[in-house]
């Protein structure tokens, strides 16, 4: 499914999702921390409760036995005075001996003794123990051992947050959670709108302006390129959008120069400045300019020519431009580990130069329209693939010398061949 959201909408959506995630994580961390802190405080304040009851209340008789009926009455009275606690006596193995829970509320008759020993050893609070009224819940507690003449008979085990307190706490937490959720959503909406406005102002608006400048090329390429070329680049660019804008300006200026150069060549405003020189030496000089790019792309350049070739009379800068353009195209379109062949020979009072590469080559449509120039009077975008301005300029320069260029058949890649009269 195609996404029809604009760039600013996408960025705003991403920011909103991130803010929602951060708000949810923050709420979760806050609730967890508050719960942890609250449990630690409850356990710290009531840490000596069990020991105080053991000292003040007769929980064992002289024989170390517990009177279930008496202790159950005592526990019910204490729990009435402090409804937030639940009292139990457990054996040294963790079996419940005395409890005052209503019928059906006890879910397990054994608890783990390890947390009780951990509490008595002075562990860092909160320490959680098994809740007899739940199958898997753990709660903070207070405990004290029950001894008879140094003989451990069991533990007084007090759950500090009983069922009634849990019900009140859950209601309070639910209200606090919904309040936090409402405020988080409100802040997320405000921050999302603010981020959307900032994204539009700092990112989307400059890109839209750049898009408007560039999109005009499809309707009126010449005027759009000229308008873009006369704009002043940002110096130095402060962000990626300005870097992209500068790149488009530089490209437009380059294209404008080529359009202008091609027009001057076609109308005879530029005349070749003829002089005698060696094509072999010129080719060696041009090849040296591509040594780094050829080495970087791990290409192999083979130059096949004889040093006994005659001198030619031509415009050395134009012929250098022709060879440079063809070699540059070959380097750019040849994949790594590929090869490029540059061959020079004399035939029928002509000097022939051929540049072939092992790249993907050109399609039949590209071959047909390679050296055809699109009409500047046509305002409708053409779907026919055509050659670049560089090749049109190259051909015009060769024609001014009485030569020409063509694309020859090749088993792999593209092969361009041009000639100059001797």
């Amino acid at each position: 499914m195609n996404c029809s959201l604009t760039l600013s909408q996408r960025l705003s959506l991403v920011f909103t999702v991130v803010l929602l995630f951060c708000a949810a994580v923050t709420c979760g961390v806050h609730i967890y921390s508050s719960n942890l802190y609250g449990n630690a405080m409850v356990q710290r304040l009531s840490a000596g409760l069990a020991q105080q009851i053991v000292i003040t209340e007769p929980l064992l008789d002289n024989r170390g036995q517990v009177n279930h009926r008496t202790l159950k009455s005592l526990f019910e009275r204490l729990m009435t005075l402090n409804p937030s606690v639940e009292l139990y006596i457990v054996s040294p193995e963790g079996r419940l001996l005395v409890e005052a829970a209503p019928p059906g509320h006890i879910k397990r008759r054994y608890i783990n003794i390890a947390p009780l020993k951990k509490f008595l050893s002075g562990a860092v609070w909160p320490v959680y123990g098994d809740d007899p009224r739940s199958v898997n819940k753990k709660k903070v507690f207070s405990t004290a051992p029950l001894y008879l003449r140094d003989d451990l008979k069991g533990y007084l085990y007090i759950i500090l947050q009983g069922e009634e307190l849990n019900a009140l706490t859950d209601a309070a937490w639910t209200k606090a959670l919904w309040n936090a959720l409402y405020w988080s959503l409100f802040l997320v909406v405000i921050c999302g709108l603010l981020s959307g406005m900032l994204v539009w102002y700092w990112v989307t608006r400059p890109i839209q302006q750049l898009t408007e400048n560039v999109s005009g090329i499809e309707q009126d390429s010449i005027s759009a390129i000229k308008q873009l070329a006369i704009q002043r680049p940002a110096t130095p660019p402060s962000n990626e959008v300005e870097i992209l804008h500068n790149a488009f300006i530089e490209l437009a200026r380059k294209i404008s120069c080529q359009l202008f150069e091609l027009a001057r060549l076609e109308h005879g405003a530029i005349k070749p400045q003829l002089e005698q020189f060696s094509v072999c030496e010129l080719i060696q000089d041009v090849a040296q300019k591509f040594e780094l790019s050829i080495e970087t792309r791990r290409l192999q350049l083979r130059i096949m020519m004889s040093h006994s070739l005659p001198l030619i009379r031509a415009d050395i800068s134009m012929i250098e431009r022709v060879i440079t353009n063809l070699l540059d195209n070959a380097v750019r379109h040849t994949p790594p580990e590929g090869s490029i062949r540059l061959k020079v020979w004399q035939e029928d009072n002509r000097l022939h130069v051929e540049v072939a590469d092992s790249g993907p080559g050109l399609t039949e449509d590209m071959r047909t329209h390679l050296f055809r120039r699109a009409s500047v009077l046509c305002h409708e975008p053409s779907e026919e693939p055509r050659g670049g301005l560089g090749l049109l300029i190259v051909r015009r320069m060769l024609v001014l010398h009485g030569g020409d260029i063509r694309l020859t058949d090749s088993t792999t890649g593209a092969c361009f061949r041009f000639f100059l009269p001797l």
Side-chain angles (χ1 to χ4, degrees):
M1 182 177 65
N2 294 329
C3 184
S4 58
L5 297 178
T6 63
L7 177 61
S8 58
Q9 291 173 339
R10 294 179 184 179
L11 292 176
S12 299
L13 179 61
V14 170
F15 289 151
T16 303
V17 172
V18 171
L19 288 173
L20 284 173
F21 176 77
C22 292
V25 172
T26 302
C27 289
V29 172
H30 174 71
I31 291 173
Y32 174 79
S33 300
S34 299
N35 188 43
L36 189 68
Y37 177 79
N39 289 337
M41 289 297 99
V42 169
Q43 195 166 40
R44 179 184 295 273
L45 292 174
S46 304
L49 178 61
Q51 185 64 39
Q52 183 179 0
I53 293 176
V54 169
I55 294 174
T56 57
E57 299 291 342
L59 302 181
L60 300 177
D61 59 20
N62 293 331
R63 295 176 299 169
Q65 301 296 320
V66 295
N67 188 323
H68 294 268
R69 181 176 300 176
T70 302
L71 288 182
K72 188 171 184 179
S73 175
L74 173 63
F75 285 2
E76 289 176 349
R77 188 176 73 254
L78 293 175
M79 292 167 61
T80 301
L81 295 176
N82 188 356
S84 65
V85 300
E86 299 168 357
L87 286 78
Y88 306 90
I89 289 182
V90 298
S91 69
E93 298 79 22
R95 181 169 60 90
L96 294 185
L97 299 178
V98 179
E99 45 83 15
H105 281 236
I106 298 299
K107 303 301 181 182
R108 48 183 167 184
R109 289 290 172 177
Y110 282 86
I111 65 170
N112 187 4
I113 293 298
L116 279 67
K117 295 180 178 180
K118 183 178 179 181
F119 177 92
L120 294 173
S121 65
V124 178
W125 292 312
V127 179
Y128 296 95
D130 293 339
D131 181 9
R133 302 193 185 190
S134 172
V135 176
N136 52 15
K137 283 186 178 180
K138 295 183 180 297
K139 297 182 178 179
V140 291
F141 61 91
S142 175
T143 187
L146 299 176
Y147 286 101
L148 181 64
R149 293 183 291 275
D150 297 331
D151 185 17
L152 180 65
K153 295 299 183 179
Y155 298 92
L156 175 61
Y157 183 58
I158 303 178
I159 296 296
L160 300 176
Q161 296 174 328
E163 288 179 321
E164 295 185 13
L165 180 63
N166 281 343
L168 296 175
T169 303
D170 290 342
W173 272 114
T174 301
K175 183 178 180 180
L177 181 61
W178 279 110
N179 287 336
L181 182 60
Y182 290 147
W183 278 106
S184 299
L185 290 176
F186 175 75
L187 292 176
V188 165
V189 171
I190 296 299
C191 294
L193 292 175
L194 180 61
S195 64
M197 294 172 61
L198 294 177
V199 166
W200 178 85
Y201 184 78
W202 282 332
V203 180
T204 308
R205 185 176 59 89
I207 292 181
Q208 287 178 343
Q209 293 175 352
L210 180 60
T211 303
E212 291 175 359
N213 293 334
V214 177
S215 61
I217 295 178
E218 293 185 358
Q219 287 75 30
D220 189 0
S221 60
I222 301 300
S223 60
I225 291 174
K226 288 182 178 180
Q227 291 177 3
L228 187 59
I230 63 176
Q231 295 185 13
R232 177 180 297 180
T235 53
S238 59
N239 53 61
E240 291 80 359
V241 177
E242 290 186 352
I243 294 175
L244 182 61
H245 189 202
N246 289 355
F248 275 115
I249 293 176
E250 184 63 27
L251 180 61
R253 290 179 177 179
K254 184 177 180 180
I255 294 176
S256 297
C257 290
Q258 288 182 337
L259 286 167
F260 184 64
E261 183 181 19
L262 180 59
R264 294 180 65 194
L265 287 170
E266 291 177 340
H267 292 84
I270 299 178
K271 301 290 185 180
Q273 304 297 317
L274 303 180
E275 60 179 301
Q276 281 193 335
F277 61 92
S278 171
V279 173
C280 297
E281 295 180 0
L282 179 62
I283 288 177
Q284 293 290 353
D285 293 339
V286 173
Q288 287 181 358
K289 297 190 299 184
F290 290 91
E291 285 183 352
L292 180 59
S293 58
I294 288 175
E295 181 180 355
T296 302
R297 296 176 61 85
R298 304 186 301 279
L299 304 178
Q300 180 183 6
L301 174 61
R302 292 185 300 163
I303 300 178
M304 306 165 60
M305 62 182 178
S306 173
H307 291 282
S308 61
L309 292 173
L311 301 178
I312 64 170
R313 185 171 176 80
D315 189 314
I316 187 171
S317 62
M318 288 187 178
I319 304 306
E320 180 183 8
R321 174 82 171 274
V322 170
I323 299 173
T324 300
N325 182 280
L326 296 179
L327 197 55
D328 178 68
N329 285 341
V331 170
R332 287 189 294 106
H333 293 93
T334 302
E337 309 293 344
S339 61
I340 300 172
R341 185 184 74 253
L342 197 157
K343 182 180 179 181
V344 186
W345 73 96
Q346 178 184 357
E347 180 181 340
D348 299 332
N349 293 324
R350 290 179 175 179
L351 186 72
H352 296 264
V353 179
E354 184 176 87
V355 179
D357 61 67
S358 60
L362 291 87
T363 64
E364 188 61 33
D365 288 338
M366 294 180 68
R367 289 172 176 268
T368 303
H369 304 285
L370 190 60
F371 294 104
R372 289 177 56 185
R373 178 180 178 182
S375 174
V376 296
L377 299 179
C378 179
H379 295 282
E380 296 182 359
S382 174
E383 297 182 358
E384 296 179 348
R386 302 180 184 273
L389 289 177
L391 285 178
L392 295 176
I393 293 174
V394 162
R395 186 177 191 185
R396 187 58 189 172
M397 287 181 174
L398 292 172
V399 171
L400 291 176
H401 287 82
D404 204 351
I405 185 173
R406 65 187 179 93
L407 180 68
T408 63
D409 294 332
S410 177
T411 55
T412 59
C415 180
F416 289 92
R417 181 184 299 174
F418 71 87
F419 70 88
L420 290 169
L422 294 175

